[in-house]
């Protein structure tokens, strides 16, 4: 909840106040002309932004005061390097620059090959030149061994440059990697803390799985050893955190877990800060092993909160004691339930009260850094109070404190206050306290200039709404809707419709609200909204007459939205007779009013109006002839739309042939709809998939304002695809020996679960919908919709037997390690399925990180065979979820494509296959398949017009994976060469293996 503010604060300074810019005290012998490259020659502690600060930015924020351990280097300016850089900068053309670089490369190559007596300084100088040439965008294919040799030097600057070269240029598949790992191990075992820090930074910068496997045992020992100095402990903790984030399965909790936890008691606050980051990440995966951190975190937090800023002078940031550490400890405590031990609980409550009290104190500084640091701690404390949800006094105090921010001049504070109050509104203890600020929130909705803050205000109004204030809030939201930003109108419409239905005591008010909603924002009223108002009117006799009168009056307005015509057509067709007694709304006037809109509407609306007209034939026989004339007009009987033409023909014959009794029976009033929960809620969750339903399974995210909706289990009525329209595809020659089946083998081998639809699932890799499984008993179809890292899979089940299914159950899951890569959540289904019936189920998915296996669904039910014997059906099927489903197309020009292609040239970033064609090589067929991949098929980019190139970004919650594809058909040899390049090795291999099976 407070990431936005706390990260802003923490990024401003990663060091204590008096050491925020230690680089300014470092004296360099020479000033290298290239300022970017000159960073490489500062000591590690003195170049916060250099390439050698190898840890992620948020991790660097944990480091404190390494200045004392890193020597200032004097008299080491490498004049030859400075001259070379100056020559490059003075080149007048690209050709001159390339000539100078080639000359220098030839010189360096001859020195490395011919001069066996190069000393460390000369090696360092030449390696630096190679680094600079590489940074200019040129390939370097030598000098790696010399860089590795620099690692064994005892001089700091030589070792530093060696590590810098390795971190940037050495490929993970290089033959030198074992030698590099051994050199790093030697430095880790060194007694010189500077060498150890350099080695740890290199490990963290590379951060590969090889590094995880090589050092996963050494780093915990180094971290918890009593002989390790504080600066090395900090580096070791952050390095271990980096490796854990890279390969969490390699690092396992062992006997060092309790010793890592006890680092929270370390006397050095820099070590405690780094350890808190590590423990916070580890405790999410292994909460039981690290539960001892709760009492220690509370103890440490208590000592910080009760201290003055002079007590922790080295770690005080603008009069706020250790704000980074406070935020981390508060976030760590949110990984566990409230402490049950009375002493810890009391101490924690005292800490939270102390933080709330300090927030009300007069500021000790007018600088924005002071306010940011203090507020970051406050918001994280409020987040913990909300997480505990057991202390009414603290919840109310937190609400009041946030309320004071609603009128603050700082936009970020207003945003965060509204967002936090949305969560407070869902608590029974603080709901009433939030309602006290209703007028302020409504005022901010009207006057706020920032659209994101206005959206949070809408979310808060939605969350705080109940029966006592529903009419007021809905009225204010309708007023704002007229001028609201277009980007949030659809969501506002859904929320107003949900609130109006949920808290309606008088359904005439509900009808008024929905009709006004259609009038104000008709373009944003989805089918679910007007479907729902019709269901409610049909099911409640007391509101039918009022709804007919109101919609009739709405249709008389000069400007009438098409959705209003749909609602009016349906309601008047069913209940128009209730207002026909009034001469102002006689049958002829009702018909003329609707038919006046007929030619302005879409085909689907005209089809609905034709159904209304035939209903009028039954309700109002006096205008039957006039309606038949409309049915028989050429515009309807010869309409190019088959659906509309068929309705006109059938309704005309029905009105002529059927007797009045038969007509009345066929066209009798629609029966009441089955009582069920509104589908609007599921529509809102589809529009905002980050609501709590999905986020509960993504532990690092906090629920958004829609948390109030958790008590409703909505069923959707939206249609994705019908089984009768499902696409049947051919197998495409996939055999059990293909590489693509390794995907399923690894999935099943890991969990003991094997699906029964391997081939069917693979056929849907490049298709959004189709048949997923079919036998004599059941047909299962699917349709997939994706947006960035979110997906919605519509599953369609058809009963092909003459008996009902009972105890129907679908359990969708991500087996094994896939649970950490993709979240799967299936809507519940009705346990009873009638014979011959079909129904749908929605499955929501969130891609957390790249994956190679597929989610599965267990389907079980009971049915009766043709011979009358009860039988059980129990199958496991693969869901057609592949990594390419989360592609976003990216358009590129030829120059941009090949520049990016060249950047992704390391062997680990490329996967290539040469394979025979399974069928004729047809240009259009290949293009269609590549379009189904999800990436952008780039035209006129490849010099060979027969080749295909694609570009796209695969979205996961953790990162975005840029991916390029190149397919080269050879018609003469009937072969393909497929090359996939990606900044993730596993992604390139996975896509290449899957795509090769499709051609």
């Amino acid at each position: 909840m407070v990431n936005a503010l706390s990260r802003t604060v923490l990024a401003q300074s990663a060091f204590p106040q008096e050491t925020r810019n230690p680089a300014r005290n470092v004296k360099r012998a020479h000033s290298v002309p290239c300022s970017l490259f000159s960073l490489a020659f500062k000591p590690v502690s003195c170049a916060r932004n250099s390439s050698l600060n190898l840890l992620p930015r948020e991790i660097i924020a944990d480091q404190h005061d390494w200045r004392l351990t890193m020597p200032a280097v004097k008299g080491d300016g490498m004049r030859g390097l400075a001259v070379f850089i100056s020559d490059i900068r003075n080149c007048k053309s690209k050709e001159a620059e390339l000539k100078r670089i080639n000359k220098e490369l030839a010189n360096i190559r001859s020195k490395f090959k011919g001069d066996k007596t190069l000393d460390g300084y000369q090696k360092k100088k030449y390696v630096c030149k190679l680094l600079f040439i590489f940074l200019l965008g040129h390939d370097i294919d030598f000098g790696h061994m010399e860089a590795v040799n620099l690692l064994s030097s005892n001089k700091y600057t030589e070792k530093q440059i060696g590590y810098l070269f390795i971190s940037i240029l050495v490929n993970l598949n290089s033959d030198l990697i074992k030698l590099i790992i051994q050199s790093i191990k030697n430095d880790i075992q060194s007694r010189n803390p500077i060498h150890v820090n350099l080695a740890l930074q290199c490990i963290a910068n590379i951060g590969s799985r090889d590094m995880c496997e090589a050092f996963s045992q050494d780093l915990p020992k180094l971290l918890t050893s009593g002989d390790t100095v504080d600066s090395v402990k900090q580096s070791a903790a952050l390095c271990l955190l980096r490796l854990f984030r890279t390969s969490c399965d390699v690092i396992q909790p062992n006997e060092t877990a309790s010793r890592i936890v006890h680092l929270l008691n370390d006397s050095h606050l820099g070590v405690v800060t780094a350890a808190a980051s590590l423990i916070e990440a580890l405790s999410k995966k292994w909460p039981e092993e690290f539960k001892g951190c709760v009492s220690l975190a509370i103890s440490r937090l208590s000592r910080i909160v009760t201290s003055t800023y002079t007590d922790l002078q080295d770690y005080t940031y603008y009069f706020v004691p250790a704000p980074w550490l406070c935020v981390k400890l508060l976030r760590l405590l949110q990984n566990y339930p409230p402490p049950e031990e009375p002493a810890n609980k009391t101490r924690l409550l005292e800490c939270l009260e102390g933080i709330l009290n300090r927030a009300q104190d007069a500021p000790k500084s007018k600088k924005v850094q002071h306010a940011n640091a203090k507020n970051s701690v406050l918001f994280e404390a409020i987040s913990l109070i909300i997480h505990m949800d057991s202390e009414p006094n603290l919840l109310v105090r937190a609400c009041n404190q946030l309320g004071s921010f609603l009128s603050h001049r700082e936009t970020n504070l207003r945003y965060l206050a509204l967002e936090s109050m949305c969560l407070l509104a869902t608590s029974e203890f603080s709901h009433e306290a939030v309602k006290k600020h209703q007028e302020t929130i409504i005022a901010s909705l009207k006057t706020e200039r920032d659209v994101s803050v206005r959206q949070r205000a809408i979310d808060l109004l939605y969350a705080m709404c109940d029966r006592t204030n529903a009419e007021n809030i809905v009225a204010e939201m309708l007023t704002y809707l007229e001028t609201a930003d277009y980007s949030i109108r659809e969501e506002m419409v859904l929320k107003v419709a949900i609130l109006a239905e949920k808290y309606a005591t008088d359904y005439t008010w509900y009808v008024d609200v929905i009709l006004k909603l259609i009038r104000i924002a008709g373009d944003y009223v989805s089918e679910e909204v007007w479907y729902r108002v019709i269901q409610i009117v049909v099911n409640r006799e007391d509101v039918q007459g009022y709804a007919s009168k109101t919609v009739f009056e709405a249709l008389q307005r000069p400007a009438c939205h098409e959705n209003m015509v749909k609602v009016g057509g349906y309601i008047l067709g069913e209940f128009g007779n209730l207002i026909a007694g009034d001469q102002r709304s006689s049958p002829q006037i009702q018909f003329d009013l609707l038919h006046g809109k007929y030619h302005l509407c879409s085909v689907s609306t005209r089809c609905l109006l034709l159904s209304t007209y035939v209903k009028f034939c039954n309700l109002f026989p006096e205008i039957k002839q006039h309606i038949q004339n409309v049915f028989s007009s050429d515009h309807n009987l010869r309409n190019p739309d088959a659906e509309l033409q068929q309705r006109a023909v059938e309704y005309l014959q029905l009105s002529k042939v059927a007797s009045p009794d038969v007509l009345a029976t066929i066209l009798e009033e629609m029966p009441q709809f089955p009582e069920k929960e509104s589908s609007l809620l599921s529509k809102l969750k589809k529009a905002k998939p980050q609501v709590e339903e999905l986020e509960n399974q993504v532990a690092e995210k906090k629920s958004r304002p829609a948390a109030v909706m958790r008590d409703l289990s909505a069923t959707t009525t939206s249609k994705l695809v019908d089984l009768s329209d499902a696409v049947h595809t051919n197998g495409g020659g996939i055999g059990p020996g293909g590489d693509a089946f390794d995907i399923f083998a690894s999935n099943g081998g890991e969990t003991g679960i094997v699906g029964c639809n391997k081939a069917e699932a693979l056929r849907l890799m490049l298709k959004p919908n189709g048949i997923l499984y079919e036998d004599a008993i059941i047909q299962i179809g699917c349709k997939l919709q994706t947006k960035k890292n979110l997906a919605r899979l519509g599953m369609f089940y058809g009963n092909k037997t003459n008996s009902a299914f009972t105890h129907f159950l679908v359990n969708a899951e991500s087996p094994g390690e896939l649970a950490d890569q993709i979240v799967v959540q299936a809507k519940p289904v009705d346990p009873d399925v009638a014979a011959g019936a079909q129904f749908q189920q929605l499955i929501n998915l969130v891609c957390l990180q790249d994956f190679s296996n597929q989610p599965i669904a267990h389907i079980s039910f009971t049915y009766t065979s043709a011979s009358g014997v009860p039988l059980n059906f129990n199958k496991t099927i693969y869901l057609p979820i592949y990594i390419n489903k989360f592609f976003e197309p990216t358009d590129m020009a030829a120059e941009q494509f090949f520049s990016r292609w060249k950047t992704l040239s390391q062997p680990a970033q490329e996967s290539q296959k040469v394979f025979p064609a399974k069928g004729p090589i047809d240009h259009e067929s290949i293009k269609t398949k590549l379009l189904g991949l999800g990436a952008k098929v780039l035209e006129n980019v490849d010099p060979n017009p027969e080749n295909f190139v694609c570009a796209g970004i695969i979205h996961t919650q953790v990162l975005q994976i840029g991916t390029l594809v190149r397919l080269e058909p050879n018609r003469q040899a009937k072969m393909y060469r497929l090359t996939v390049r990606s900044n993730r090795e596993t992604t390139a291999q996975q896509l290449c293996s899957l795509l090769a099976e499709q051609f």
Side-chain angles (χ1 to χ4, degrees):
M1 181 178 62
V2 299
N3 283 352
L5 181 59
S6 59
R7 285 190 180 181
T8 301
V9 175
L10 299 180
Q12 290 180 357
S13 172
F15 296 88
Q17 187 172 356
E18 67 278 5
T19 62
R20 281 198 301 276
N21 190 10
R24 64 190 176 192
N25 297 322
V26 178
K27 189 175 181 182
R28 289 180 292 166
H30 296 279
S31 177
V32 180
C34 178
S35 59
L36 172 66
F37 193 63
S38 65
L39 291 171
F41 307 113
K42 298 180 184 178
V44 179
S45 64
C46 304
R48 284 183 57 200
N49 298 320
S50 72
S51 300
L52 204 57
N53 267 327
L54 308 172
L55 301 174
R57 185 171 298 177
E58 67 271 16
I59 295 181
I60 294 175
D62 295 323
Q63 300 180 79
H64 291 275
D65 203 5
W66 286 2
R67 179 177 53 176
L68 301 178
T69 62
M70 297 298 181
V73 182
K74 298 182 180 180
D76 199 13
M78 291 183 288
R79 181 171 181 80
L81 174 63
V83 170
F84 172 62
I85 295 175
S86 180
D87 290 347
I88 293 296
R89 296 183 67 184
N90 292 329
C91 289
K92 303 299 183 182
S93 64
K94 185 176 180 180
E95 291 73 16
E97 177 183 309
L98 186 61
K99 182 178 179 181
R100 179 67 180 90
I101 288 173
N102 288 335
K103 178 181 177 182
E104 191 64 39
L105 286 174
N107 177 55
I108 297 172
R109 196 186 299 270
S110 65
K111 292 290 185 181
F112 284 167
K113 284 186 177 180
D115 194 345
K116 303 299 183 182
T117 62
L118 286 177
D119 58 16
Y121 169 79
Q122 291 174 311
K123 287 182 182 178
K124 178 187 70 172
K125 180 177 68 174
Y126 293 132
V127 167
C128 279
K129 288 184 178 181
L130 292 178
L131 268 173
F132 180 71
I133 293 171
F134 176 78
L135 292 179
L136 291 177
H138 299 273
D139 292 333
I140 300 298
D141 56 3
F142 69 97
H144 300 77
M145 193 62 203
E146 285 71 17
V148 173
N149 290 338
L150 288 176
L151 300 185
S152 59
S153 172
N154 288 323
K155 287 188 176 181
Y156 168 76
T157 55
E158 295 174 7
K159 189 181 290 288
Q160 179 196 31
I161 296 301
Y163 275 122
L164 182 61
F165 187 96
I166 287 168
S167 301
I168 296 175
L169 271 83
V170 172
N171 190 285
L172 299 180
N173 296 327
S174 169
D175 295 335
L176 299 174
I177 196 68
K178 292 184 178 179
L179 185 59
I180 293 170
I181 289 176
Q182 185 56 51
S183 297
I184 293 175
K185 284 190 173 182
N186 293 339
D187 280 338
I188 285 181
Q189 296 167 3
S190 169
R191 292 184 175 274
N192 188 334
I194 298 175
H195 294 177
V196 180
N197 275 332
L198 282 173
L200 291 173
Q201 287 185 334
C202 182
I203 295 171
N205 187 49
I206 296 175
S208 65
R209 190 175 182 86
D210 289 337
M211 289 294 178
C212 292
E213 293 172 349
F215 299 102
S216 59
Q217 300 299 321
D218 297 335
L219 291 183
K221 294 177 182 177
L222 179 66
L223 175 61
T224 56
S225 171
D227 299 329
T228 306
V229 299
D230 292 335
S231 62
V232 173
K233 284 184 179 179
Q234 287 178 257
S235 299
L238 300 176
C239 183
L240 192 58
L241 175 59
R242 172 73 168 86
L243 297 185
F244 173 75
R245 289 174 176 174
T246 302
S247 302
C248 59
D249 57 317
V250 175
I251 299 174
Q252 296 295 329
N254 47 37
E255 67 278 357
T256 61
S258 60
R259 298 169 68 183
I260 292 175
V261 166
H262 278 84
L263 289 174
L264 293 176
N265 265 341
D266 198 277
S267 58
H268 192 282
L269 280 190
V271 175
V272 178
T273 306
S277 296
L278 176 63
I279 296 169
E280 197 263 338
L282 296 176
S283 62
K284 287 179 180 177
K285 188 169 181 64
W286 299 293
E288 191 63 27
E289 287 78 357
F290 290 90
K291 64 182 179 180
C293 69
V294 173
S295 59
L296 296 179
I298 293 173
S299 175
R300 175 62 73 173
L301 182 64
S302 176
R303 278 180 275 170
I304 297 173
V305 171
T306 57
S307 67
T308 63
Y309 70 89
T310 55
D311 296 337
L312 302 172
Q313 192 170 3
D314 288 347
Y315 291 88
T316 294
Y317 180 77
Y318 287 93
F319 304 101
V320 181
W324 298 277
L325 181 53
C326 284
V327 168
K328 292 177 185 299
L329 294 174
L330 290 166
R331 198 170 292 165
L332 171 60
L333 292 173
Q334 292 174 52
N335 293 342
Y336 292 92
E340 297 179 357
E341 187 180 343
N344 283 336
K345 185 174 182 179
T346 302
R347 203 168 185 183
L348 178 58
L349 295 180
E350 289 175 353
C351 290
L352 296 174
E353 288 177 353
I355 293 172
L356 292 176
N357 291 336
R358 283 191 175 184
Q360 297 174 343
D361 292 343
K364 294 181 174 63
S365 172
K366 292 183 180 180
K367 293 190 175 181
V368 68
Q369 292 92 336
H370 170 71
N372 283 347
K374 188 167 73 169
N375 289 332
S376 66
V377 177
L378 172 64
F379 276 100
E380 202 64 56
I382 292 174
S383 180
L384 178 57
I385 292 171
I386 296 171
H387 169 76
M388 294 167 62
D389 197 22
S390 59
E391 299 299 324
N393 181 46
L394 286 178
L395 287 165
V396 172
R397 285 194 61 186
C399 180
N400 294 334
Q401 182 66 49
L402 292 171
S404 66
F405 290 144
L406 295 179
S407 303
H408 199 279
R409 61 185 179 86
E410 176 60 44
T411 304
N412 285 342
L413 273 182
R414 297 196 300 275
Y415 180 95
L416 291 170
L418 289 167
E419 189 174 45
S420 300
M421 290 180 77
C422 288
L423 300 175
L424 285 170
T426 65
S427 171
E428 58 178 322
F429 302 117
S430 55
H431 183 77
E432 290 299 322
V434 174
K435 285 169 60 178
K436 294 178 181 178
H437 301 279
Q438 180 174 321
E439 294 303 321
T440 308
I441 298 164
I442 291 173
S444 70
L445 184 65
K446 296 176 180 178
T447 59
E448 179 60 53
R449 289 180 295 176
D450 191 300
V451 62
S452 62
V453 180
R454 293 199 298 271
Q455 186 162 3
R456 292 289 79 78
I458 293 167
D459 291 339
L460 179 52
L461 287 173
Y462 176 83
M464 66 190 286
C465 188
D466 58 22
R467 293 195 183 278
T468 63
N469 60 6
E471 291 193 17
N472 186 22
I473 287 179
V474 168
E476 292 292 347
M477 292 178 75
L478 283 172
T479 302
Y480 174 66
L481 185 58
E482 297 187 38
T483 57
D485 298 84
Y486 294 111
S487 60
I488 62 176
R489 285 194 178 189
E490 183 176 6
E491 183 186 332
M492 278 195 69
V493 167
L494 286 172
K495 288 185 172 179
V496 170
I498 290 171
L499 293 178
E501 179 185 347
K502 185 176 181 181
Y503 298 115
T505 54
D506 179 2
Y507 276 94
T508 59
W509 172 73
Y510 169 74
V511 171
D512 288 338
V513 169
I514 299 301
L515 294 184
K516 187 175 182 181
L517 208 56
I518 295 173
R519 179 175 61 82
I520 294 173
D523 289 337
Y524 301 92
V525 175
S526 62
E527 289 186 341
E528 286 82 0
V529 174
W530 70 265
Y531 284 174
R532 188 59 180 167
V533 71
I534 286 174
Q535 291 175 14
I536 289 175
V537 170
V538 169
N539 287 6
R540 288 170 175 80
E541 293 183 6
D542 58 322
V543 81
Q544 290 168 357
Y546 179 81
S548 301
K549 177 176 177 294
T550 307
V551 79
F552 176 78
E553 293 172 350
L555 287 171
Q556 290 179 312
R557 291 177 179 270
C560 184
H561 194 274
E562 187 170 339
N563 281 335
M564 186 71 78
V565 177
K566 292 178 181 178
V567 174
Y570 194 102
I571 291 179
L572 292 180
E574 294 293 330
F575 313 113
N577 59 310
L578 299 178
I579 60 171
D582 189 336
Q583 290 300 318
R584 292 171 297 180
S585 55
S586 64
Q588 186 65 47
I589 293 176
Q590 289 186 41
F591 175 78
D592 290 342
L593 182 61
L594 287 173
H595 198 58
K597 318 286 185 185
Y598 182 84
H599 298 286
L600 304 175
C601 297
S602 64
V603 171
S604 61
T605 304
R606 277 185 270 167
C607 289
L608 185 149
L609 288 177
L610 289 179
S611 299
T612 299
Y613 297 166
V614 78
K615 287 269 188 176
F616 279 178
C617 290
N618 177 48
L619 291 177
F620 313 123
E622 62 270 27
I623 62 171
K624 182 176 179 180
Q625 183 60 46
H626 189 55
I627 293 172
Q628 288 176 342
N629 292 337
V630 172
F631 286 150
S632 59
S633 67
D634 286 348
H635 178 75
N636 291 322
L637 288 184
R638 291 184 172 87
N639 196 285
D641 185 82
E643 171 71 14
L644 192 147
Q645 184 188 104
Q646 183 178 357
R647 288 195 185 209
V649 171
E650 292 180 356
Y651 290 164
L652 176 62
Q653 292 304 312
L654 179 65
S655 65
K656 289 180 177 180
V657 174
S659 65
D661 291 340
V662 172
L663 198 63
T665 303
I666 295 173
L667 302 176
E668 66 179 352
E669 187 177 303
M670 285 289 290
Q672 291 190 356
F673 290 92
E675 288 294 342
K676 60 183 180 180
E677 296 291 350
S678 170
S679 64
L680 299 182
L681 185 60
S682 60
K683 175 73 175 177
L684 180 62
K685 289 179 179 179
K686 182 181 75 172
K688 295 188 69 177
Q690 69 270 41
V691 294
E692 184 176 17
E693 179 180 62
L694 292 181
E695 289 190 330
N696 281 343
Q697 301 181 46
V698 187
E700 294 175 305
K701 296 290 182 185
K702 297 182 175 67
S703 60
R704 296 296 294 274
V708 72
M709 303 185 295
R710 62 187 296 180
D711 296 329
L712 297 176
S713 56
T715 58
T716 184
T717 60
S718 60
K719 295 182 179 180
L720 292 173
V721 69
D722 190 80
L723 276 177
S724 59
D725 297 326
V727 179
H728 295 261
T729 59
N730 295 323
I734 299 177
D739 292 340
F741 283 97
D742 293 340
I743 304 161
F744 300 103
S746 64
N747 195 349
E750 183 182 39
T751 61
I753 302 171
V754 178
C756 60
N757 65 330
K758 295 178 180 179
E760 291 86 349
L762 279 169
R763 290 173 194 152
L764 294 177
M765 177 198 168
L766 304 180
K767 298 177 182 293
N769 60 283
I771 299 297
L772 192 56
Y773 175 81
E774 185 173 14
D775 58 18
I777 301 165
I778 189 172
Q779 182 188 52
I780 304 174
C782 67
K783 181 175 181 180
L784 183 68
Q785 297 174 338
T786 59
K787 184 176 181 181
K788 296 197 173 180
N789 71 312
L790 306 170
R792 185 178 74 162
L793 181 65
M795 300 286 289
F796 303 90
Y797 307 94
N799 183 349
K800 298 175 66 175
T801 70
N802 295 322
S803 65
F805 293 164
T806 58
H807 305 101
F808 194 95
L809 180 65
V810 179
N811 181 27
E813 64 171 342
S814 297
E817 67 177 14
L818 189 63
D820 295 327
Q821 299 164 348
I822 187 166
V823 174
V824 180
Q825 192 227 7
K827 300 283 186 182
V829 295
D830 194 323
D832 298 317
V833 182
Q838 70 176 57
F839 64 96
Q840 78 173 45
Q841 177 190 32
L842 288 184
I843 300 177
N844 292 320
L845 304 105
V846 181
C847 179
L848 305 180
Q849 53 184 301
D850 61 319
F851 59 93
S852 55
N853 297 331
Q854 275 57 58
I856 57 175
H858 306 282
I859 303 172
S860 62
F861 56 86
T862 304
Y863 67 100
T864 304
S865 67
S867 58
V869 179
L871 298 173
N872 292 325
F873 181 96
N874 197 333
K875 298 279 187 182
T876 298
I877 63 172
Y878 294 110
L879 300 181
I881 306 299
Y882 300 91
I883 191 66
N884 69 291
K885 299 296 185 181
F886 300 97
F887 249 129
E888 180 184 9
T890 303
D891 202 3
M892 290 184 181
E895 182 179 354
Q896 186 182 5
F897 176 86
F898 285 106
S899 173
R900 180 63 179 158
W901 183 267
K902 186 177 180 181
T903 304
L904 299 172
S905 59
Q906 297 186 15
Q909 297 173 325
E910 179 183 277
S911 182
Q912 187 177 89
K913 280 197 171 188
V914 178
F915 53 92
K918 294 182 172 66
I921 298 178
D922 178 66
H923 188 277
E924 288 302 318
S925 174
I926 296 172
K927 183 177 180 180
T928 301
K929 289 183 178 181
L930 290 177
L931 287 172
L933 178 67
K936 175 76 173 179
V937 178
L938 304 177
E939 304 284 354
N940 303 320
V941 169
D942 197 291
N944 186 347
E946 293 295 316
N947 295 345
F948 295 85
V949 292
C950 308
I953 296 174
I954 296 175
H955 287 273
T956 72
Q957 192 174 75
V958 176
L959 75 163
Q960 296 181 350
I961 306 171
T963 305
L964 304 177
V965 179
R966 190 179 189 186
L967 182 65
E968 302 167 86
N970 186 329
R971 296 180 185 274
Q972 290 73 25
K974 295 184 179 181
M975 299 282 287
Y976 289 100
R977 179 168 68 180
L978 173 65
T979 309
V980 180
R981 292 189 178 183
S982 173
N983 52 17
R984 292 282 289 182
E985 177 181 2
T986 54
T987 301
Q989 294 175 352
Q990 172 76 354
L991 277 178
C992 190
S993 177
L994 287 170
L995 266 178
E997 294 297 326
Q998 305 294 327
F999 295 98

